Structure formats: C-alpha cells, structure tokens
Amino acid sequence: MSDLNRRQFVIAAATAAAACACNFCPSAAMAAGRSTSAPAAGPHDAGALADITKDGFDDRFAAQGFILVRENGKIYAISNVCTHERGRLRVDPDVPAQLKCVKHKATFDTAGSVTGGPAKRALPRYAVRADEQGHLIVDTSRTFTDKQHDDPASFVAAGH
C-alpha cells in the first residue's frame, strides 16, 4: 500500500470535511428526510382564522415546524416531525387524511395518532389561540400530549 502524497492528502481531507459539513447543512438534512431542528420556540402567526375553511391538513407552515389541522369544529397545530427518528412529515398523496414520514414511512392521522409504525408515540400539539385581529397564533414553546387534547389551550373553535 502506498503512502498518500501531500496533494492526495489535501484532497482527501477536503472531501472528508465537505462530507461532514453536509451532514450539518440544513439543505442536505432536508434532502435526506431529516428535520434540521426543532421549530423556533415561541409564537408564530399562522394567518387569519377565517382563511382556514376546509377540514384536513394545512401544511403551509411545515417549514416552521407545525401543520395546522381543522376537524370536528376545531383548529389545532401538530408537530411535523416524526416521533420515531425526527424525520419530516408530509401529507400522504395517496391518503390525504394521513401524514407520512419521509424517512421510515411511519404514518399519523389528523389527530396526530400513530396509524403505522415504526413510530410508537403520537405527535405533540402546540398551544394555539386567536388574537384580537382574528389570527391564529401557534406557540411552539408549549406542547400537549395526546392525553391533553381536551385542554382549551390546545385548540380553537373553527368558527371563532
């Protein structure tokens, strides 16, 4: 086995450094189906409540770490990060009432409950409220488990 010359060493080191950097690069992580980070903790303005008119998922805010859901007269926000290994969730094109992990294919229903593994835990909900302008404010610093879905701070009435 021959020793590396200086030029080969520099090329190998630069290639290794670039590969390591890509593991931490948000665009590379997103392309690999990994969540780049938890959503920024705190309030997010999700727009006018009056604009959320149809039942199902609204994934306009997925880049901010949550997906809006309207069902049974309620609007709430659930995490868009899989509870298995933090893969990104997308609305399943084959089953529009289902979220699917791009990494390991775990599935979740509109309540955030697991409908297919490998995930075992439900998605958390975030606190939501309507502000004085009629906008939905999602607070990602406050979460609710599936056992806390009756908490009034975890949803707003759709007709509010």
Side-chain angles (χ1 to χ4, degrees), residues 2 21 23 28 37 61 84 90 92 103 118 120 128 150:
S2 66
N23 269 338
S37 65
F61 302 95
H84 174 240
R90 291 194 177 147
D92 188 335
K103 192 172 182 184
K120 299 198 182 320
V128 294
D150 290 334

Side-chain angles (χ1 to χ4, degrees), residues 15-134:
T15 302
C20 288
C22 278
N23 269 338
F24 298 102
C25 171
S27 58
M30 294 296 277
R34 295 188 310 267
S35 174
T36 57
S37 65
H44 300 269
D45 186 337
L49 275 168
D51 292 344
I52 306 169
T53 58
K54 69 177 203 176
D55 284 356
F57 295 114
D58 179 345
D59 61 358
R60 291 178 292 155
F61 302 95
Q64 288 149 347
F66 61 90
I67 293 174
L68 298 177
V69 180
R70 178 185 163 137
E71 75 171 354
N72 299 325
K74 296 179 180 178
I75 298 172
Y76 48 92
I78 59 176
S79 172
N80 78 324
V81 177
C82 183
T83 56
H84 174 240
E85 286 191 1
R86 302 196 47 76
R88 287 180 299 128
L89 298 175
R90 291 194 177 147
V91 177
D92 188 335
D94 299 323
V95 186
Q98 176 174 277
L99 293 176
K100 190 172 197 174
C101 177
V102 300
K103 192 172 182 184
H104 292 116
K105 311 301 183 226
T107 56
F108 301 85
D109 63 16
T110 53
S113 299
V114 177
T115 57
K120 299 198 182 320
R121 288 179 293 120
L123 300 171
R125 282 191 188 178
Y126 296 115
V128 294
R129 65 179 173 81
D131 71 5
E132 40 297 328
Q133 287 82 33

